Amino acid sequence: AEFRRGLHSTCCKVIWLDKPTSPCIDPKRLDPDDEILLQPFHGSRLHRVIKLLPEFGNLSQGISSSSESSKHPYSKTRLRSTQRNDEIQEYVSSSEERYSKQGPSSPTLVHTRGRLKSKRKDEDSAESSNGEMPLFGKRILIAEDNKMLSILAITTATQLGADVEHCENGNEALERVCNGLKAQRNYDYVLMDCEMSPMNGYEATRRIRIEEEQYGVRIPIIALTAHTSGTEALEAGMDAHLNKPLVANELMKVIESLQTKK
């Protein structure tokens, strides 16, 4: 605010840098001409800001004058919201595009019509009915109370082909798993955040394991944790752990490891 007062009537566009996993900038409190980008600030995001400079075309004038309705503060807020969603999608896509392995028969992810498909390097261009997605047909429950992290996790698993359900705490996760057990429609995998309330992921996992004994099944539960050590998760009965935010190649490594142990 002090910076803008010093500029007096000079036009000034502020680019705000927000965190992708825990956004804290409220678009409604900003100047209508400001923009929000997600960190890290490089690559296409840096290029986008450079293009706002007069020396490089100043594309912002084209955006603001494209229509009279875009001058309205509410329209500007919606535009920023759309741009932020695009940034989130870019963040997720950049993570998923890293899912690739060395070797002639290893699957890689390629973009097709905005979605991800898995293909093997030694296969021809013919596509199978499931779109060559490694998690096609798999039911995954994601228990995560952080909105941004849940969006990233849901998008990652969905673009790998999974049928995803989401809940926000351990109580809901326990209830959904128990309902699945009773209906004989179990989840293939559960991605469990460890730090939730009122019931955390550790306690939810312990209770799930008790319920499973009545049906003679064991659903693979993968811990989602911000900590590097997964000792407590394994002690609670979880089968593996992943650091947040969820990354496609790390998820597939864990799932392939669990399938090997069966």
Side-chain angles (χ1 to χ4, degrees), residues 29 72 91 115 121 139 182 213 216 235:
R29 300 182 61 183
H72 193 279
Y91 177 85
R115 300 192 67 183
K121 295 180 180 179
R139 296 183 67 235
K182 294 175 184 178
E213 292 178 358
E235 291 176 351

Side-chain angles (χ1 to χ4, degrees), residues 191-202:
L191 306 185
M192 185 81 73
D193 178 24
C194 296
E195 304 297 335
M196 298 181 291
S197 62
M199 182 188 294
N200 62 36
Y202 302 121

Side-chain angles (χ1 to χ4, degrees), residues 28 61 72 88 94 106 135 150 160 209:
K28 297 180 181 179
Q61 293 180 352
H72 193 279
I88 293 172
S94 64
S106 299
L135 296 183
S150 65
L160 288 172
R209 294 308 185 209

Side-chain angles (χ1 to χ4, degrees), residues 2-3 5 14 21 24-25 30-31 34 55 58 91 96 125 129 135 140 144 147 159 176 184 191 207-208 214 216 233:
E2 293 180 4
F3 179 75
R5 279 195 291 269
V14 177
T21 56
C24 57
I25 298 176
L30 304 183
D31 186 279
D34 289 355
E55 301 93 319
N58 192 9
Y91 177 85
E96 288 165 339
S125 58
S129 60
L135 296 183
I140 294 182
E144 171 63 70
K147 185 174 181 179
Q159 292 187 332
R176 287 174 181 255
Q184 295 184 351
L191 306 185
R207 297 193 184 187
I208 288 173
Q214 304 178 38

Side-chain angles (χ1 to χ4, degrees), residues 96-97 99-100 107-121 127 131-134 159-160:
E96 288 165 339
E97 286 173 347
Y99 172 54
S100 61
T108 59
L109 291 182
V110 294
H111 277 286
T112 171
R113 295 183 181 178
R115 300 192 67 183
L116 289 178
K117 299 172 69 175
S118 170
K119 288 190 175 182
R120 295 187 180 276
K121 295 180 180 179
E127 298 180 356
E132 297 297 335
M133 295 181 179
Q159 292 187 332
L160 288 172

Side-chain angles (χ1 to χ4, degrees), residues 17-188:
L17 299 180
D18 209 353
K19 297 180 180 179
T21 56
S22 56
C24 57
I25 298 176
D26 183 4
K28 297 180 181 179
R29 300 182 61 183
L30 304 183
D31 186 279
D33 289 325
D34 289 355
E35 294 192 29
I36 301 175
L37 296 180
L38 299 181
Q39 299 178 17
F41 184 49
H42 59 66
S44 61
R45 295 170 188 148
L46 175 59
H47 182 265
R48 175 176 166 184
V49 173
I50 289 176
K51 296 295 288 185
L52 295 175
L53 300 175
E55 301 93 319
F56 296 93
N58 192 9
L59 295 182
S60 60
Q61 293 180 352
I63 295 175
S64 60
S65 61
S66 58
S67 66
E68 290 297 322
S69 61
S70 66
K71 296 179 181 179
H72 193 279
Y74 176 70
S75 298
K76 291 291 184 66
T77 300
R78 291 197 302 173
L79 175 61
R80 279 200 300 266
S81 177
T82 301
Q83 291 171 341
R84 173 177 282 200
N85 289 337
D86 291 341
E87 290 292 324
I88 293 172
Q89 183 61 41
E90 177 187 348
Y91 177 85
V92 175
S93 298
S94 64
S95 297
E96 288 165 339
E97 286 173 347
R98 290 196 294 270
Y99 172 54
S100 61
K101 296 183 179 180
Q102 300 298 325
S105 62
S106 299
T108 59
L109 291 182
V110 294
H111 277 286
T112 171
R113 295 183 181 178
R115 300 192 67 183
L116 289 178
K117 299 172 69 175
S118 170
K119 288 190 175 182
R120 295 187 180 276
K121 295 180 180 179
D122 60 345
E123 290 179 346
D124 58 27
S125 58
E127 298 180 356
S128 65
S129 60
N130 65 11
E132 297 297 335
M133 295 181 179
L135 296 183
F136 180 82
K138 301 294 184 181
R139 296 183 67 235
I140 294 182
L141 174 64
I142 297 177
E144 171 63 70
D145 59 353
N146 182 285
K147 185 174 181 179
M148 182 63 66
L149 291 176
S150 65
I151 291 174
L152 293 174
I154 292 169
T155 304
T156 298
T158 300
Q159 292 187 332
L160 288 172
D163 180 10
V164 179
E165 295 182 22
H166 172 249
C167 62
E168 296 182 347
N169 60 63
N171 286 326
E172 293 181 13
L174 175 61
E175 180 180 0
R176 287 174 181 255
V177 170
C178 289
N179 289 340
L181 290 170
K182 294 175 184 178
Q184 295 184 351
R185 192 168 181 266
N186 301 329
Y187 294 102
D188 294 286

